[in-house]
Amino acid sequence: MTQLLLYTTAGCHLCEDAQKILETIGCKWSPIEISTDNDLIKHYGIRIPVVGIKGQEEELGWPFSENELKNWLNKITSG
């Protein structure tokens, strides 16, 4: 089973928008709070929200639409 990750931080309105899209398409996901890890802050600090899949390098950064997320997921999970 694919484990989606959402790199996020508290108070991020764009992250809230990304969460709504994930919920709309019925994805199960886990939030990754970047503010507690300096390496995550360095990597994602100005890029969040970012969706990833545990164990895979490719990620989808904001902005993305519902259709773009679906297409990305289909590409990632079918290949």
Side-chain angles (χ1 to χ4, degrees):
M1 176 178 238
T2 301
Q3 182 180 354
L4 285 181
L5 307 172
L6 178 63
Y7 294 90
T8 185
T9 196
C12 171
H13 71 282
L14 297 176
C15 298
E16 292 169 4
D17 292 344
Q19 290 174 22
K20 289 176 188 171
I21 292 172
L22 287 165
E23 291 166 1
T24 297
I25 66 172
C27 290
K28 293 188 188 282
W29 54 275
S30 298
I32 304 296
E33 174 59 56
I34 68 163
S35 69
T36 59
D37 183 306
N38 286 336
D39 289 335
L40 291 177
I41 291 170
K42 188 184 258 186
H43 189 73
Y44 294 106
I46 61 171
R47 296 180 49 219
I48 59 172
V50 174
V51 176
I53 296 177
K54 187 171 185 168
Q56 294 193 20
E57 289 187 28
E58 191 170 340
E59 299 171 327
L60 179 64
W62 191 260
F64 54 83
S65 67
E66 184 178 323
N67 283 336
E68 289 168 325
L69 178 59
K70 286 179 183 178
N71 290 338
W72 180 79
L73 287 170
N74 285 335
K75 181 181 111 183
I76 295 298
T77 58
S78 67

